[in-house]
Amino acid sequence: MSREFIPCRIAVLTVSDTRGLAEDRSGDSLVARLEGAGHLLAARAILTDDRAKIAAQLRAWIADPEVDVVISTGGTGLTGRDVTVEAHHDVYEKEITAFSTVFTIVSMQKIGTSAVQSRACAGVAGGTYLFALPGSTGACKDAWDEILVKQLDYRHGPCNFVEIFPRLEEHKRRK
């Protein structure tokens, strides 16, 4: 059975205290990749490393019916200013724990044991997928090229994130 591609509406959030849109190479890389794969850029924003602001932006996009997926870049490291992971956890209903593991495996092949310094994560909330990626352009490319491009493609088998979109909020339906 052959399936047709189903484009996702993806929001990109860059978390940085130093970058603006003109310097946002990681965000640019994600936008180029998602559009190149046939997906739609639903929104794009840059925020500073502020947990409450990041969580508020994630919640706004979760509530927006025009956003299926949110990908953030930046703030996944170990320093005191790195709070993106905590903001993501503030909004997750369910964490996709295997994403972190697979991202680490992919990263190990590129940067060796330095991969342990990333806290990349993923989850689901309000029927929206959320992915927190490191701020480096290489990490964004690796996450997209090795994981997300496949899992956000309805044609990918044996399974993918797109095919279970309709079931993400089945617990809210009346019986």
Side-chain angles (χ1 to χ4, degrees):
M1 172 177 96
S2 154
R3 296 180 176 187
E4 285 192 35
F5 179 76
I6 299 173
C8 295
R9 298 164 297 190
I10 303 174
V12 174
L13 173 63
T14 298
V15 178
S16 175
D17 286 336
T18 59
R19 281 185 263 168
L21 197 56
E23 302 85 24
D24 184 18
R25 291 190 350 255
S26 295
D28 289 344
S29 174
L30 287 169
V31 170
R33 281 173 158 65
L34 73 88
E35 289 179 337
H39 298 291
L40 307 169
L41 179 64
R44 185 170 179 186
I46 297 179
L47 292 176
T48 58
D49 293 275
D50 181 302
R51 182 175 177 170
K53 288 180 183 175
I54 297 164
Q57 182 62 73
L58 296 175
R59 285 187 185 99
W61 283 338
I62 291 164
D64 186 341
E66 295 302 311
V67 175
D68 302 314
V69 176
V70 175
I71 303 173
S72 68
T73 173
T76 63
L78 301 172
T79 72
R81 298 288 298 152
D82 291 324
V83 295
T84 302
V85 173
E86 288 73 20
H88 270 253
H89 285 133
D90 289 344
V91 304
Y92 287 169
E93 293 169 3
K94 294 185 179 188
E95 187 168 6
I96 306 170
T97 53
F99 178 82
S100 300
T101 304
V102 173
F103 180 77
T104 301
I105 292 167
V106 168
S107 295
M108 283 282 299
Q109 296 169 356
K110 308 285 173 110
I111 62 171
T113 60
S114 294
V116 302
Q117 294 187 33
S118 170
R119 298 182 303 135
C121 62
V124 179
T128 302
Y129 289 108
L130 302 117
F131 302 94
L133 308 179
S136 78
T137 304
C140 289
K141 289 177 182 178
D142 293 343
W144 181 268
D145 295 349
E146 302 295 329
I147 305 168
L148 296 176
V149 72
K150 297 168 187 159
Q151 282 299 301
L152 295 176
D153 189 334
Y154 184 61
R155 302 166 298 185
H156 180 74
C159 57
N160 59 75
F161 289 139
V162 177
E163 66 189 343
I164 59 174
F165 262 128
R167 296 182 50 215
L168 291 178
E169 295 198 294
E170 65 189 0
H171 64 288
K172 294 182 180 179
R173 292 189 203 128
R174 295 181 96 189
K175 294 186 182 201

